[in-house]
């Protein structure tokens, strides 16, 4: 590639990245600065700095019993949903990777087909089924529905990685006398940890931020999750944007902190299956 063309490509890429960064930073800066403002301040100068770094909005949000309860419910539902989804996805992906020929691919395709079905298409039958099972307005019901909805994505990621593991690993494990369960524990799972970590982070983000199913299944305030509780700051005729922005930041902080500390596992997991050894 000529030097001039390479320079043009580099400059164009830089301009696109700067434009994308600004596109992300503008709403983030609006939410961050707005969380320290009053409603009149926000409307007078949406992107300006606040007159003072008042923490009144944070005291209001964190001091509300409803928000504390919602934060606890979100933590319980996310922890239970991610754990159950990973457990089932690991077993399914391992089985798919061990089944030879077209049968493995057929089972893989059938499970992943769930990704193509819009969530809205299943809302009515899911609601009726959970009503008949007595799982409406229940955190257990939320854990189960989050697991069912996220399972195809988790299987897709994990099966894609486990299929790249050399067959010689399974043969060597069998020669050592290990059965399928022992092979999964001692060979496959340790090698799949980067992919499992990446899948776990992905599931945490999806389930922590989910609003659709809590809005559909939860009926009482004490069972609400954090995204559902944030709707309290939005009324029919008036929205308290400073409190809403503060609640969004409080809800996002655990995810940002988790990603900062686990980003190397996330990147390693996404690239682990891209090249075969």
């Amino acid at each position: 590639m000529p030097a001039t063309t390479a320079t043009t490509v580099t400059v164009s890429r830089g301009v696109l990245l700067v434009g994308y960064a600004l596109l992300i930073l503008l709403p983030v800066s609006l939410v961050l600065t707005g969380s320290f403002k009053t409603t009149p301040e926000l409307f007078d100068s949406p992107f300006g700095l606040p007159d003072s770094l008042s923490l009144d909005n944070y005291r209001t949000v964190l001091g509300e019993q409803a928000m504390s309860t919602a934060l606890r419910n979100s933590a319980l539902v996310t922890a239970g949903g991610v754990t159950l989804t990973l457990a089932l996805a690991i077993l399914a992906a391992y089985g798919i990777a061990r089944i030879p020929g077209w049968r493995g691919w057929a089972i893989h395709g059938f499970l992943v087909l769930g990704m193509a079905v819009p969530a809205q298409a299943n809302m009515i039958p899911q609601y009726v089924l959970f009503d008949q099972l007595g799982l409406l307005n229940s955190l257990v019901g939320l854990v189960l529905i989050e697991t069912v909805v996220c399972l195809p994505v988790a299987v897709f990621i994990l099966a894609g990685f486990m299929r790249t593991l050399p067959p010689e690993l399974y043969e060597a494990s069998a020669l050592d006398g290990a059965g399928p369960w022992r092979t999964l524990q001692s060979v496959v799972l340790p090698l799949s940890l980067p992919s499992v970590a990446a899948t776990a982070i992905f599931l945490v983000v999806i389930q922590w931020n989910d609003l659709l199913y809590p809005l559909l299944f939860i009926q009482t305030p004490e069972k609400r999750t954090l995204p559902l509780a944030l709707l309290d700051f939005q009324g029919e005729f008036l929205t308290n944007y400073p409190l809403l922005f503060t609640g969004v930041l409080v809800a996002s902080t655990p995810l940002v902190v988790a990603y900062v500390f686990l980003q190397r596992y996330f990147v390693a997991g996404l690239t682990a299956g891209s090249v075969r050894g």
Side-chain angles (χ1 to χ4, degrees):
M1 179 182 295
T4 304
T5 305
T7 302
T8 304
V9 171
T10 302
V11 172
S12 301
R13 185 181 302 169
V15 171
L16 288 175
L17 290 176
V18 169
Y20 180 74
L22 291 175
L23 190 64
I24 298 298
L25 288 175
L26 282 176
V28 171
S29 64
L30 175 63
V31 172
L32 182 60
T33 57
S35 67
F36 295 100
K37 297 178 180 178
T38 61
T39 300
E41 278 185 90
L42 181 64
F43 283 102
D44 287 341
S45 179
F47 291 98
L49 294 176
D51 295 337
S52 62
L53 292 178
S54 173
L55 298 178
D56 291 342
N57 292 330
Y58 288 90
R59 293 191 187 98
T60 301
V61 170
L62 295 175
E64 286 190 4
Q65 180 64 33
M67 290 296 292
S68 301
T69 302
L71 183 62
R72 181 201 63 195
N73 292 340
S74 285
L76 291 174
V77 170
T78 303
V82 171
T83 301
L84 185 57
T85 305
L86 279 179
L88 295 176
I90 288 172
L91 294 176
Y94 177 62
I96 290 170
R98 293 298 305 271
I99 297 175
W102 64 270
R103 290 177 299 172
W105 287 106
I107 296 173
H108 189 191
F110 176 75
L111 292 176
V112 174
L113 191 62
M115 297 172 58
V117 180
Q120 292 79 4
N122 297 322
M123 287 171 54
I124 295 178
Q126 287 170 346
Y127 185 90
V128 173
L129 177 61
F130 274 61
D131 186 24
Q132 293 175 347
L133 295 175
L135 292 174
L136 289 182
N137 198 38
S138 165
L139 296 184
V140 174
L142 279 184
V143 170
L144 293 178
I145 193 64
E146 297 288 357
T147 300
V148 170
V149 171
C150 294
L151 190 59
V153 180
V155 171
F156 176 76
I157 298 174
L158 292 174
F161 173 79
M162 290 185 184
R163 281 185 175 276
T164 65
L165 296 178
E168 292 78 13
L169 289 175
Y170 302 115
E171 296 172 3
S173 180
L175 289 175
D176 289 337
W181 181 250
R182 183 66 177 177
T183 301
L184 173 63
Q185 286 183 302
S186 303
V187 179
V188 177
L189 198 54
L191 292 174
S192 303
L193 283 181
S195 184
V196 171
T199 306
I201 296 173
F202 191 66
L203 293 175
V204 167
V205 172
I206 292 177
Q207 298 186 14
W208 179 269
N209 291 325
D210 184 40
L211 174 63
L212 175 62
Y213 289 106
L215 188 61
L216 182 64
F217 291 157
I218 298 303
Q219 302 164 347
T220 56
E222 63 271 11
K223 297 294 180 64
R224 293 187 301 180
T225 57
L226 203 52
L228 193 56
L230 291 177
L231 295 180
D232 285 345
F233 302 124
Q234 185 174 358
E236 183 178 358
F237 303 106
L238 179 65
T239 298
N240 194 329
Y241 286 105
L243 285 182
L244 180 60
F245 290 166
T246 305
V248 168
L249 287 175
V250 170
S252 303
T253 299
L255 299 181
V256 174
V257 173
Y259 182 77
V260 168
F261 285 100
L262 299 175
Q263 60 177 328
R264 63 189 184 96
Y265 297 106
F266 184 72
V267 174
L270 291 180
T271 59
S274 60
V275 179
R276 296 193 60 152

